[in-house]
Amino acid sequence: MDLTELERLLRAYKLGELEIGETTRQIKNLNYEDIGYARVDHSRAVRQGFPEVVFGAGKSRSQLVGIVERLVERSPNVLVTRTDEGTFGEVRNLATDAEWHAAARLIRIHRDKTERGIGTIAVVTAGTSDIPIAEEAALTAEAMGNQVRRIWDVGVAGIHRVLAERDLLQGARVIIVAAGMEGALPSVVGGLVSVPVVAVPTSIGYGASFGGVAALLGMLNSCSSNVTVVNIDNGFGAGFVASLINRKWEPTAP
Amino acid sequence: MDLTELERLLRAYKLGELEIGETTRQIKNLNYEDIGYARVDHSRAVRQGFPEVVFGAGKSRSQLVGIVERLVERSPNVLVTRTDEGTFGEVRNLATDAEWHAAARLIRIHRDKTERGIGTIAVVTAGTSDIPIAEEAALTAEAMGNQVRRIWDVGVAGIHRVLAERDLLQGARVIIVAAGMEGALPSVVGGLVSVPVVAVPTSIGYGASFGGVAALLGMLNSCSSNVTVVNIDNGFGAGFVASLINRKWEPTAP
Amino acid sequence: MDLTELERLLRAYKLGELEIGETTRQIKNLNYEDIGYARVDHSRAVRQGFPEVVFGAGKSRSQLVGIVERLVERSPNVLVTRTDEGTFGEVRNLATDAEWHAAARLIRIHRDKTERGIGTIAVVTAGTSDIPIAEEAALTAEAMGNQVRRIWDVGVAGIHRVLAERDLLQGARVIIVAAGMEGALPSVVGGLVSVPVVAVPTSIGYGASFGGVAALLGMLNSCSSNVTVVNIDNGFGAGFVASLINRKWEPTAP
Amino acid sequence: MDLTELERLLRAYKLGELEIGETTRQIKNLNYEDIGYARVDHSRAVRQGFPEVVFGAGKSRSQLVGIVERLVERSPNVLVTRTDEGTFGEVRNLATDAEWHAAARLIRIHRDKTERGIGTIAVVTAGTSDIPIAEEAALTAEAMGNQVRRIWDVGVAGIHRVLAERDLLQGARVIIVAAGMEGALPSVVGGLVSVPVVAVPTSIGYGASFGGVAALLGMLNSCSSNVTVVNIDNGFGAGFVASLINRKWEPTAP
Amino acid sequence: MDLTELERLLRAYKLGELEIGETTRQIKNLNYEDIGYARVDHSRAVRQGFPEVVFGAGKSRSQLVGIVERLVERSPNVLVTRTDEGTFGEVRNLATDAEWHAAARLIRIHRDKTERGIGTIAVVTAGTSDIPIAEEAALTAEAMGNQVRRIWDVGVAGIHRVLAERDLLQGARVIIVAAGMEGALPSVVGGLVSVPVVAVPTSIGYGASFGGVAALLGMLNSCSSNVTVVNIDNGFGAGFVASLINRKWEPTAP
Amino acid sequence: MDLTELERLLRAYKLGELEIGETTRQIKNLNYEDIGYARVDHSRAVRQGFPEVVFGAGKSRSQLVGIVERLVERSPNVLVTRTDEGTFGEVRNLATDAEWHAAARLIRIHRDKTERGIGTIAVVTAGTSDIPIAEEAALTAEAMGNQVRRIWDVGVAGIHRVLAERDLLQGARVIIVAAGMEGALPSVVGGLVSVPVVAVPTSIGYGASFGGVAALLGMLNSCSSNVTVVNIDNGFGAGFVASLINRKWEPTAP
Amino acid sequence: MDLTELERLLRAYKLGELEIGETTRQIKNLNYEDIGYARVDHSRAVRQGFPEVVFGAGKSRSQLVGIVERLVERSPNVLVTRTDEGTFGEVRNLATDAEWHAAARLIRIHRDKTERGIGTIAVVTAGTSDIPIAEEAALTAEAMGNQVRRIWDVGVAGIHRVLAERDLLQGARVIIVAAGMEGALPSVVGGLVSVPVVAVPTSIGYGASFGGVAALLGMLNSCSSNVTVVNIDNGFGAGFVASLINRKWEPTAP
Amino acid sequence: MDLTELERLLRAYKLGELEIGETTRQIKNLNYEDIGYARVDHSRAVRQGFPEVVFGAGKSRSQLVGIVERLVERSPNVLVTRTDEGTFGEVRNLATDAEWHAAARLIRIHRDKTERGIGTIAVVTAGTSDIPIAEEAALTAEAMGNQVRRIWDVGVAGIHRVLAERDLLQGARVIIVAAGMEGALPSVVGGLVSVPVVAVPTSIGYGASFGGVAALLGMLNSCSSNVTVVNIDNGFGAGFVASLINRKWEPTAP
């Protein structure tokens, strides 16, 4: 809730400019916009330079296009995750500068490129198959104003590959590691650096990988204390939280 | 590996001050000290102001005391987690300023109180029973140079309790939330703030809580994008990674 | 078993109007009608104003149409759940006033609109994707004679959204909450009201949501004592039991 | 939040009786009392005739006694669940009319015996071993002003046992069924009645009962639509929600 | 191994009719026929009046037809389970009296109709959707020489339905019960009779039925001691073992 | 329900010897005796020569002794399973011929030794540690009038051990196989014989045996079609159902 | 890392032939080749006679063909696993001697047929359906220079089938056993031989086989001490490790 | 079965030295000795230089001592695993040279120290807490005639620790790796060497380590193809199979 606005309402009410019923209604509406099947909170995105994000899975193409149409009017940066190229075709009619990232299945409108991070974010994968999830993280982090360094295919079975990237890794403010199968890479990376590692288990594997559960458990049990974990295949979440870690920070204004 | 030291070794080798065999051996020893049943890496703790940490579970009392005896000589701050009061009695003989934190079952020697954070760390619990885990996180964060704000018993069944602490929460650089049962509090807190939330599932509950699994799954599936998760009951890990997020950061020296 | 009818049979038998074999057979038939591949109990629906309900999954279109044809003769209200638009096309030939609810994949014939509840039933969703399950619950409750209030997309990541609906929630006799992912909303709603909350976990989510298991466990472990739970995606069951709670109640006649 | 009180505060503020800072603080305090390691919400219990309830597991005896001492001053009815006889000994010093229920491991102070239900609540067990959980439910329901009928040991392997109790069951406003092992009894009872059935899986069984999971799954998959489920061994929750169903209801005052 | 034949071989060897190498080879071949990708044991089927059975899943149509072609020469009764109508089309060319059972997805050649049972086998389902699995059991039992009584849709939510069939059930030598969802019917049936009940969990259900796991666990934890369990959807196995129970038995000839 | 008795009641009612209320009550009481905390069905045991069985786990010693005292008056054979030697001490005061079977933790009173089987029952274990469970099965089978052959420690890692017992196995009417770890023995035994095999998974093992789950799954997936399964460690159930299979059978009297 | 090459670099650096920056870069490049989306380590394959292996799942056809094109230049033996016939069509354009193995879905280029084993490798299946996985193992082992003996369809339900192959089994240096369902065959084979058994659980089965989990657990709990396990359906891994066991071994050159 | 002995029996039978009954019996007895509650196969141990091994868990002290007494007469090397010091006290009375290994809870009689391996076996642990399991493996391997190299505490969080031991690792014929928590070390080690790696998950960890399941899954999903896995905490099995891999091998004599 916007406390400045709340105080304004209270004062207006006290001055008799608002009656008690209207005051109640306006306090309620401070927080979000109700668009029928969804209630959208624009305030954070606009004020803090966050992108607007639409989770595409489970929404129809026309719904997605409708939502993007509204968002693009209010926000310079918009992400649509877990979508498809057909939707992109229609989104491009609304925003000719929209980008289609096929591997990550993500549409990005990226107009505000203000830099908001204090360091770089390294995004690392154990294997080639983990790249789509890692790209989702990297594209999100870029849309949130970060410099991103991509380091692909440095899984632990060939340990020299990750060791060779030590300089890049040790130069980053925060590191995202996407890995499937046994999910061991975050522990190794975590041991090489002194910054937070955001681990993303991926659903890469077969048999006893159980759709990413083996990797998830491996990461939760990491022997490196600087590792935290997000949901399986949640590249967006990893990019989002890494961006928050890398942000130039000052207490939120009241 | 300490690259400055490595270059020194290479130069010494080139100058003939070291022969090839000795160069090899010293490169190997740059990294850790082998003390028989364990190999300890002191370099990070000493150089970066991290505390030395000993995981007490599964080690005998004499082993723990022996290890602490060595650590206390090299490092101003030492933590022993998952230990007991008897061990504390012996540790106090080595360090009369050692503190015993009964709820968290943690011994802390806390001599270097240099402030290393750029903001405060809020540590929040859903219920009274989550306090021991949250205390482990808070004590760790303090030992790593952070200001900590404790907010106990604000679980979501009485939502006004957490809303009443919005100011404290919104003023923090990073928030740790410990919760058992359904583990819903991190999502609510995550929605109130724009900083990273480190969620710690606790093994509080019964029946279908499955020793913290219900809370863990709840947190991994959080609808708030700024939530990351550590292992069940891993208060230390949460405190550690929150401290890394809150640190005044500059790239590690080469 | 219909005890009045049973006594009638016993008396007829005593008077010699029925011989012992026939008495036995009729006692057996008091309870249901055997239609070959199914045994249908009409008595409850007819006498108590319940709708007839057909679970569509796993039945062929012609089977479904055949069953509906029979039911529609005996009962003013009929629901077919988990069905498709093609089946609806054929059902409409039997009952031109049949309604097709696409989101909930449900056919409803709703002729008897007698009000049978003592209060309203609020149906709430955490997200937009939970609406189909919630609609199944709402449509069922309406068919059972209830006033329903729909409240969509008030998940806990934006806590003000649900708080803004407190009046509606606190005015209801019983509340249904459908939520996927971490399933935290029932706990928050449960804390706001003093009536029963029927929680429906939905299979919305990915990765460690395990098809609704994370939400199910969250709800079973709810810290709000007024929460009970039905099966994942069981919108019908939630609507049914909420209707029973809201019913004007008097002991069933003997 | 108490809306009447809130309006009073707003009016006092408008009249200048309260300044803006104090108004803010009082709004915050409307909701609960902070007692250090816990935040207690008394308002609901006092105004609505609910008992105060303390979950005993994980609290020390002195903590429990201290809490009870405070509660007993404000509320005529107090329950302490999952506790022991030693704690009861000390509680009896505070309240000589405290009752000790050994099977349910529950302390009850039961002074206000106002009847608040519109019908009876039947509490049913499948076996003898389920009685402790069922007693917790029954004692809770009584403390909330209900008439309770206990029906023990009518599991489905001897189906005549439950059929013989049909009259009792069909006369109840709501039924609680506690069952371990395969957890089949709620389905059978649900089929006999037209009121809600609150099913409590118990951890009774061995091998593939997995501590109550088999019973829990059985109940969640019940083919009777009037069955809802609470957590394994959660007798208190079942008694609580059944009491809410049975309550004479009118909309909560604004 | 056929011991009579073995003694014959040993005697022939002793008499010098067979040399040691040939004796070895023939002992090896006593047991089965190697047809390249499979080793088939004909002896039991032929000698004991068992049908030849081919598990169709995972075999190509031409493989299945090839196998049936060989079997039909040696055995009067052949079953092909988990197959399709196209395969049946080709099998009919080999055996014009082959039967296609669409619900059970089973081809049956049933020439030898010798009765081999001492009583009847009752096959029971909880719901309409369980019929395909139950039919597989019934068709198997018939092919093994049993009288089968089918009792469909008598699930426990309408307990009178199964009670009405008590006479049929109590007249059977062994009972097969197929049930999905909570899998409670075998316990009820088991309590009504004094003969073995073979329980078949089916994968009918959704959500927390987990593809038949809930039913499986329910049956394994049955409170009726005469219940045994086979794999989920294993109608064939249930029919097979029930047939062995019902067989006129005498010790196998040496 | 005893149908003969029921007809008697109906006739008495018709003749006016019983009025309608009394007829109702007596019909209800035909089935079991209510002894407060349990409802016992004696009819089956007495009429069919079954032993009375008490499951000892979760009952107090005085409860057990009280129950046995009553049972021993009505039934010549009584089993108390999952009990201890102290209870046996007291039971021996009631029945001096009571036997204590330490390995199986079972008390047996075995007075009626009528033979009721048509063949022998073989009870087989994979290892030495499975013997206690197998003994529970064997003792139960003996108490139900069967000849039992014990075959211990013939696990599949030394396949010759079980092959050496082929004669014994092939002479049995039904075979019980108790096995922990991978639970493979029932499949091998099942392939050697043409009679039903009742498989009992035991909780023997460690690590990924998960308390008998590995063995249970192995048995449910047996490639031998004559294998059925009971719950982990359920020796009693295996002995009970094997006895029913081996019984001289004739349809139950009406 | 190639230590000989490393010493060469160090000497060159000392002699001033390489400056320190270049030395660093070359040390880094000793280990693998970075081809954009993947980092390939050729050294082991080339120097040790291992085949190059590409895991086909999750790679596009053009990616696969591109990779094979490069590999085929450097290595005489190449395997592409989990691929399809279309890809084979294109690979044949690059290497006309490429083989397509339909059952195993594997492309093999097999030019270097040097024998590298000291004995034979037996590859065994429990059933016909396990052959594809077993073939993947066998083809891999052949490509690594081994003599392979295939033994199909000797599952434990017909124990004589595997006993008949004892000579073949006891003559092998290492045995691979592929089995689904209950996964019992490795234990039986393990008991017959004194060499390592590499067990491959397959996803063959239904219901409680849980996609190979039952077989996996059975193998992990094997009562034969010479059994080790690889992932479900991992025929390649089994063939690889069996080849390493069978290799003529001498310490790797420094 | 000992084929030489079998041929001898057949010839004796042919010559009339043995009659057919006796021949049968002796063929049966070729394989093992029946000692009441166990059937012991001595032949392999004695002939092949394997130690006799007794799994101590679940056997009484007197049983263990009795078994050891017999074994020590026939075999120079005996292991008792999972036992205690009290048992060792009694075993020392039988064999004064028995060794007690407290960490591994293992008694070893080690008289025959013949070397049977072709290289060394490296035994590696990730942490200090994994040492007991690793010691069980190492002691077993030594008792089977191998040179063992112990490498403790080289977990992946400090990757330089394991890299520093590359020479030792690359010199071994086979490597055993024991690791708990995320179980990542086998993958790293596997990538450094070209020999088989036998991975032993340990039950070290807490929370989502699930008693070793996380480590087990990590190892099964290893991205290094030379890794195979044994059961959680199965140090003995790892030592046994590693010894078979390292053995000087020649085909078993017929």
Side-chain angles (χ1 to χ4, degrees), chain B residues 157 160 166 182 187 191 208 218 221, chain C residues 157 160 166 182 187 191 208 218 221 223:
Chain B
H160 305 297
R166 227 171 342 190
E182 78 266 64
S187 294
N221 287 285
Chain C
H160 305 297
R166 229 173 336 190
E182 79 266 63
S187 293
N221 286 285
C223 48

Side-chain angles (χ1 to χ4, degrees), chain D residues 203-214, chain E residues 217 220-221, chain F residues 55 82 201-203 210-213 216 230-234:
Chain D
S203 53
I204 301 304
Y206 62 92
S209 81
F210 299 130
V213 169
Chain E
L217 293 183
L220 286 168
N221 286 286
Chain F
F55 185 70
R82 306 203 175 205
T202 69
S203 53
F210 300 131
V213 169
L216 171 64
V230 296
N231 196 1
I232 298 165
D233 289 340
N234 188 7

Side-chain angles (χ1 to χ4, degrees), chain A residues 121-127 129-138 141 148-156 159 162 165 168-170 172-193 195-204 212 215-216 218-220 222 224 226-243 245, chain B residues 228, chain H residues 156 182 184:
Chain A
I121 296 178
V123 183
V124 184
T125 74
S129 316
D130 303 312
I131 293 177
I133 298 302
E135 266 297 329
E136 190 182 89
V148 172
R149 303 298 303 258
R150 287 161 172 84
I151 303 173
W152 287 176
D153 194 27
V154 294
V156 301
I159 199 69
V162 67
E165 303 293 352
L168 267 182
L169 294 169
Q170 289 174 344
R173 171 66 183 102
V174 52
I175 299 173
I176 295 167
V177 182
M181 303 177 75
E182 79 267 62
L185 187 57
S187 293
V188 172
V189 170
L192 294 175
V193 300
V195 294
V197 171
V198 181
V200 196
T202 70
S203 54
I204 300 305
L216 171 63
M219 292 167 180
L220 286 169
S222 176
S224 293
N226 51 346
V227 174
T228 56
V229 187
V230 297
N231 196 1
I232 298 165
D233 288 340
N234 188 7
F236 164 70
F240 190 89
V241 79
S243 298
I245 293 172
Chain B
T228 56
Chain H
V156 301
E182 79 267 62

Side-chain angles (χ1 to χ4, degrees), chain B residues 121-152:
Chain B
I121 297 178
V123 182
V124 185
T125 73
T128 302
S129 315
D130 303 312
I131 293 176
I133 299 302
E135 267 296 328
E136 189 182 90
L139 295 164
T140 299
E142 288 169 351
M144 291 177 77
N146 299 282
Q147 294 288 343
V148 173
R149 302 298 302 258
R150 288 161 171 85
I151 304 173
W152 288 176

Side-chain angles (χ1 to χ4, degrees), chain B residues 155-160 163 166 181-184 187-188 190-192 205-210 213-214 217-224, chain C residues 155-160 163 166 181-184 187-192 205-210 213-214 217-224:
Chain B
V156 302
I159 198 70
H160 305 297
L163 295 179
R166 227 171 342 190
M181 301 178 77
E182 78 266 64
S187 294
V188 172
L192 294 175
Y206 61 91
S209 81
F210 300 131
V213 169
L217 294 183
M219 293 168 181
L220 286 168
N221 287 285
S222 176
C223 48
S224 293
Chain C
V156 301
I159 198 70
H160 305 297
L163 294 179
R166 229 173 336 190
M181 302 178 75
E182 79 266 63
S187 293
V188 172
V189 170
L192 295 174
Y206 62 90
S209 83
F210 300 130
V213 169
L217 293 183
M219 292 168 181
L220 286 169
N221 286 285
S222 175
C223 48
S224 293

Side-chain angles (χ1 to χ4, degrees), chain B residues 25-43:
Chain B
R25 201 189 57 76
Q26 290 207 17
I27 287 175
K28 196 157 119 181
N29 288 342
L30 276 182
N31 299 295
Y32 59 83
E33 178 190 13
D34 189 336
I35 58 170
Y37 55 85
R39 304 182 188 217
V40 184
D41 183 347
H42 297 290
S43 55

Side-chain angles (χ1 to χ4, degrees), chain A residues 32-47:
Chain A
Y32 58 84
E33 177 189 14
D34 189 334
I35 59 172
Y37 55 89
R39 305 183 187 214
V40 184
D41 182 347
H42 295 291
S43 55
R44 192 162 65 176
V46 171
R47 203 173 56 232

Side-chain angles (χ1 to χ4, degrees), chain E residues 121 136-138 140-142 144 146 176 198 200 230 234-244:
Chain E
I121 296 178
E136 190 182 89
T140 299
E142 288 170 353
M144 291 177 77
N146 298 283
I176 295 166
V198 181
V200 196
V230 296
N234 188 7
F236 165 69
F240 191 89
V241 80
S243 297
L244 296 185

